[in-house]
């Protein structure tokens, strides 16, 4: 599953057929190739570039959306206010937007994550770390609305 989750970083979008692979996995489930349903359920989200919690129906989609991503720090350390427009697959999670921005301009849009039992958690942006001691954290917004979780799906919008 870990290899599948980064496949898109190492292959072009047309290097493999998502629908064909997805159908093959679904057929293997029917044939009983997996010892538990949980094993199969962990593979399918990666095939469509989603997190496990984000997939409602396994659909391979090549449609993209444009997202304006802005990162602002006017409270502590070296201040920054950077904005970039990125294209991500429709329905992508927030992490996909961060990765796309970093790929286009790592000097202004770098970030680090830490794996938690809930999935990756953003721990720093542009070298500035969140700190429980200093009571600093990152707030993610869509327009002026605070995101409830990092698996927010992007249809069209701002971050």
């Amino acid at each position: 599953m870990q290899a599948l989750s980064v496949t898109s970083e190492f292959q072009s979008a047309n290097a493999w057929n998502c629908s064909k692979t997805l159908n093959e996995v679904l057929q293997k489930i029917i044939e009983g190739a997996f010892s538990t349903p949980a094993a199969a359920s962990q593979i399918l989200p990666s095939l469509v570039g989603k997190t496990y919690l984000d997939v409602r129906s396994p659909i391979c989609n090549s449609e993209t959306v444009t997202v304006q991503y802005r990162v602002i720090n006017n409270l502590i350390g070296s201040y920054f206010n950077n904005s970039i427009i990125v294209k991500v697959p429709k329905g992508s999670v927030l992490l996909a937007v961060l990765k796309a921005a970093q790929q286009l301009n790592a000097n202004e849009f770098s970030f680090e994550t830490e794996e938690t039992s809930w999935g990756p958690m953003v721990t720093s942006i542009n070298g500035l770390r969140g700190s429980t001691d200093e009571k600093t954290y990152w707030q993610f917004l869509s327009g002026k609305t605070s995101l409830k979780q990092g698996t927010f799906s992007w249809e069209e919008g701002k971050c």
Side-chain angles (χ1 to χ4, degrees):
M1 185 184 88
Q2 290 176 349
L4 291 172
S5 68
V6 296
T7 298
S8 62
E9 293 179 29
F10 300 102
Q11 294 183 0
S12 66
N14 298 326
W16 67 292
N17 184 321
C18 179
S19 296
K20 183 178 178 183
T21 305
L22 182 58
N23 288 336
E24 181 71 21
V25 171
L26 292 171
Q27 183 60 41
K28 293 298 181 187
I29 292 170
I30 292 168
E31 293 172 5
F34 297 94
S35 59
T36 66
S41 71
Q42 295 295 315
I43 291 173
L44 293 177
S46 293
L47 291 176
V48 293
K50 307 283 185 180
T51 66
Y52 176 68
L53 297 173
D54 199 36
V55 176
R56 291 186 197 105
S57 61
I59 298 171
C60 297
N61 188 354
S62 61
E63 187 179 347
T64 62
V65 294
T66 302
V67 177
Q68 179 183 5
Y69 172 58
R70 172 169 280 161
V71 59
I72 302 169
N73 167 35
N74 56 10
L75 299 174
I76 189 171
S78 300
Y79 302 144
F80 49 84
N81 184 342
N82 304 322
S83 182
I84 192 169
I85 294 185
V86 297
K87 288 192 178 285
V88 295
K90 186 175 182 177
S92 290
V93 296
L94 175 63
L95 190 58
V97 174
L98 274 64
K99 286 179 180 179
Q102 182 171 271
Q103 190 172 21
L104 287 174
N105 186 343
N107 290 329
E108 293 184 357
F109 297 97
S110 64
F111 71 98
E112 293 178 13
T113 61
E114 178 181 295
E115 273 304 316
T116 71
S117 59
W118 297 100
M121 177 179 75
V122 174
T123 56
S124 75
I125 294 179
N126 293 354
L128 183 58
R129 298 188 71 74
S131 167
T132 54
D133 293 338
E134 296 178 30
K135 296 181 178 41
T136 58
Y137 59 93
W138 291 106
Q139 181 179 24
F140 294 99
L141 306 170
S142 178
K144 294 184 179 190
T145 304
S146 182
L147 299 181
K148 303 294 183 221
Q149 57 183 344
T151 57
F152 178 81
S153 290
W154 294 102
E155 300 303 328
E156 283 286 342
K158 296 180 179 181
C159 174

